[in-house]
Amino acid sequence: MEIVGPVTPGQVAVLLGFVPILLWWVYAELLELWKNSRFFGMHSDDDSIALDIGSLGEEAKTQLLAGGFSVGSSVAHKQRPGLVRFFMMDKDFLLENRLTLRAISEFGVVLAYFYTCDRTDLFGESSKSYNRDIFFFLYFLLIIVAAMTSFKIHHDTSPLSSKSVLYLNRHQTEEWKGWMQVLFVMYHYFAAKEIYNAIRVFIAGYVWMTGFGNFSYYYVRKDFSFARFCQMMWRLNFFVAFCCILLDNHYMLYYICPMHTFFTLMVYCSLGIFNKHNNKGSVIAVKIAACFVVIAVIWEVPHVYDIVWSPFAFLLAYNDPDATKKFRPMHEWHFRAGLDRYIWILGMIYAYYHPTVERWMEKLEATEAKLRIFIKTSITAICLLAGYMWYEYIYKLEKYTYNRYHPYTSWIPITVYICLRNITQEFRSYTLTLFGWLGKITLETYISQFHIWLRSGKPDAQPRRLLSLVPDYPMLNFMLNTIIYVAVAHRVFNLTNQLKVVFIPTRDNKRLLYNVITGAIISITLYALSLVLLSLTKKLHTEA
């Protein structure tokens, strides 16, 4: 098996970190197996033994049932830091954290699979091929399957009243993300260039939801704690950070991640500053206006962009090694984030007025039938006209021309969709939960597609090829790859959340700070060790 590209210090550091955890997890599983076998053995070999156990003290009983060691362990051992107990192979500590060790090990196996698929020649690759008939056949087939198997009527009530308004409810936004994500990744898989402009709108929809969802959370919950901030950053960047390190890619290759991180931080900061005054409409208006001004100055005023973002070039710079035309390293961030620089603010505005719209809808549903039908018909007609005008005069533009209009017009199709999707109580309450399920794992499916569905083959390269597990059978290969791809993405989603709960406690800032410092120390130590090992290896190779 040939490996593409040189081994990097980051890759060695990850390996040095995961191998002992994998070994410790196997040891913990053996301890658990041994403990259980001893326990069941004592209940099946001899009834007299079971009777004798009952006469023992609690400590002796625990030690005996555990197979010679105490699950509780001594107080002295428990008072040691977890990291010390880990390296000392403290049996009690390993048993207590067996599921965490299993989750980390499983995450490591997933990363190894990513590396194997995209950085070795163990599996083949094939070319992308677009056929409009096959593309839309597969997509509409999925819609039919979703409608037949996952159609659901929701009866959730509004937090503002006991009525089931369901305007822009969570089920609906998850479904929205799901059906957009399917088209988004299929666009990449089949190289469906003709729907480029639609994909730009879908990405704007995701960014709109970043503003909408985060504003709703912080405005209602008023939780600006350090723990919440860390959880937010973990969700957005945990998985992608390891992909960058292990696969030697720049952060901007996965541009959706830095985009959502930046816009999420903007919402967090805008509402977090003087957050005690967020109940005043004038304060919210000033904050939203300030967001518009800041973004406009950075992206619209010449040279300001370079001044603001040049200190972050180490994180946001990117150049496609296979591009025929070379741009400045910060061009990609300027282009990607610039396309959707305003739409997240519109999401904030929609979130702020969400309760007001709900009250309007409650009144509308309570009006006389003829008036209600007239109002809804008028709204529908206006939306359809606006959507048609946008489609004719904006969407149909050539993609480079369209991109110039996109930051200022993407709110039109998004608003039209929201209005039509929520025009009646029935439309609001119906969802296809299959798309809702896919909508929960959009981050994982976005990142995973680069390496186990598609294939780039080298650091920082765009995934211009397909991973081939079934050579010469493109549709069978698509089916098998997709099954593995979605299953892995869903599992990574669960592992990310499981580990988030372990390492980012919500109500223990002291432990959280300890975890952050410990993680930083471990990372620096592993990286230093990897540099030493690579230096020694290079020296030995030179001498040989």
Side-chain angles (χ1 to χ4, degrees), residues 107-289:
F107 185 74
V109 170
V110 169
L111 292 176
Y113 179 64
F114 275 46
Y115 188 87
T116 302
C117 290
D118 200 37
R119 292 293 190 271
T120 72
D121 61 353
L122 184 63
F123 302 116
E125 62 181 26
S126 57
S127 301
K128 295 181 180 182
S129 176
Y130 177 62
N131 181 292
R132 182 187 295 173
D133 183 45
I134 292 177
F135 182 90
F136 286 106
F137 166 76
L138 291 172
Y139 186 67
F140 287 117
L141 179 63
L142 180 62
I143 293 176
I144 293 170
V145 171
M148 293 176 64
T149 61
S150 67
F151 180 83
K152 187 174 181 179
I153 303 174
H154 302 278
H155 301 285
D156 301 19
T157 57
S158 169
L160 301 173
S161 68
S162 59
K163 297 183 179 180
S164 181
V165 176
L166 292 169
Y167 167 62
L168 272 177
N169 61 84
R170 183 65 177 268
H171 309 291
Q172 187 186 125
T173 54
E174 295 289 5
E175 178 202 64
W176 184 8
K177 287 193 292 184
W179 68 256
M180 288 196 303
Q181 183 72 355
V182 172
L183 279 173
F184 183 41
V185 296
M186 286 180 65
Y187 160 79
H188 287 151
Y189 191 92
F190 292 101
K193 296 179 181 179
E194 68 173 346
I195 64 168
Y196 171 88
N197 292 354
I199 298 303
R200 295 271 68 82
V201 175
F202 296 163
I203 296 173
Y206 292 127
V207 177
W208 179 92
M209 279 185 266
T210 293
F212 180 85
N214 282 289
F215 183 97
S216 299
Y217 178 87
Y218 292 118
Y219 186 73
V220 174
R221 299 287 184 87
K222 300 176 176 60
D223 180 9
F224 299 94
S225 63
F226 179 60
R228 171 62 186 175
F229 175 82
C230 290
Q231 288 177 337
M232 178 175 62
M233 292 297 102
W234 179 285
R235 177 72 187 96
L236 290 171
N237 293 292
F238 172 74
F239 182 33
V240 71
F242 277 96
C243 287
C244 288
I245 295 169
L246 189 67
L247 297 161
D248 194 25
N249 289 327
H250 278 78
Y251 189 35
M252 266 306 296
L253 177 68
Y254 315 92
Y255 68 89
I256 292 292
C257 297
M259 272 178 54
H260 283 288
T261 299
F262 171 61
F263 295 132
T264 298
L265 285 173
M266 287 294 292
V267 178
Y268 178 81
C269 292
S270 62
L271 286 183
I273 298 172
F274 302 118
N275 60 81
K276 293 182 180 179
H277 303 284
N278 284 344
N279 58 333
K280 299 177 182 178
S282 57
V283 172
I284 295 297
V286 169
K287 290 185 174 186
I288 289 175

Side-chain angles (χ1 to χ4, degrees), residues 330-387:
M330 293 297 288
H331 168 81
E332 187 76 2
W333 174 245
H334 183 272
F335 170 68
R336 298 293 184 181
L339 282 172
D340 300 307
R341 57 186 179 268
Y342 296 118
I343 195 64
W344 63 276
I345 308 176
L346 268 295
M348 292 173 63
I349 295 173
Y350 285 34
Y352 179 73
Y353 284 105
H354 183 274
T356 303
V357 175
E358 277 204 335
R359 286 192 291 269
W360 288 349
M361 297 178 82
E362 287 179 9
K363 293 178 180 179
L364 178 61
E365 296 297 336
T367 59
E368 190 264 338
K370 288 185 179 179
L371 179 59
R372 184 171 67 249
I373 293 173
F374 173 76
I375 293 174
K376 290 184 177 181
T377 303
S378 300
I379 293 173
T380 302
I382 293 170
C383 288
L384 291 175
L385 178 61

Side-chain angles (χ1 to χ4, degrees), residues 353-420:
Y353 284 105
H354 183 274
T356 303
V357 175
E358 277 204 335
R359 286 192 291 269
W360 288 349
M361 297 178 82
E362 287 179 9
K363 293 178 180 179
L364 178 61
E365 296 297 336
T367 59
E368 190 264 338
K370 288 185 179 179
L371 179 59
R372 184 171 67 249
I373 293 173
F374 173 76
I375 293 174
K376 290 184 177 181
T377 303
S378 300
I379 293 173
T380 302
I382 293 170
C383 288
L384 291 175
L385 178 61
Y388 173 77
M389 298 293 288
W390 170 82
Y391 177 78
E392 282 292 324
Y393 296 102
I394 302 296
Y395 180 81
K396 285 186 174 181
L397 294 172
E398 178 270 337
K399 74 174 189 176
Y400 295 107
T401 306
Y402 171 82
N403 284 338
R404 291 200 294 270
Y405 290 96
H406 176 82
Y408 315 103
T409 60
S410 61
W411 64 273
I412 299 173
I414 290 172
T415 304
V416 168
Y417 174 79
I418 291 171
C419 290
L420 296 179

Side-chain angles (χ1 to χ4, degrees), residues 295-316:
I295 295 299
V297 169
I298 292 175
W299 262 272
E300 311 287 357
V301 178
H303 309 301
V304 174
Y305 172 86
D306 294 328
I307 296 172
V308 172
W309 290 112
S310 56
F312 302 96
F314 72 97
L315 188 65
L316 299 173

Side-chain angles (χ1 to χ4, degrees), residues 511-530:
R511 181 184 160 204
L512 174 58
L513 184 60
Y514 171 81
N515 288 346
V516 171
I517 295 173
T518 303
I521 293 173
I522 291 174
S523 300
I524 293 171
T525 303
L526 289 175
Y527 192 78
L529 286 174
S530 68

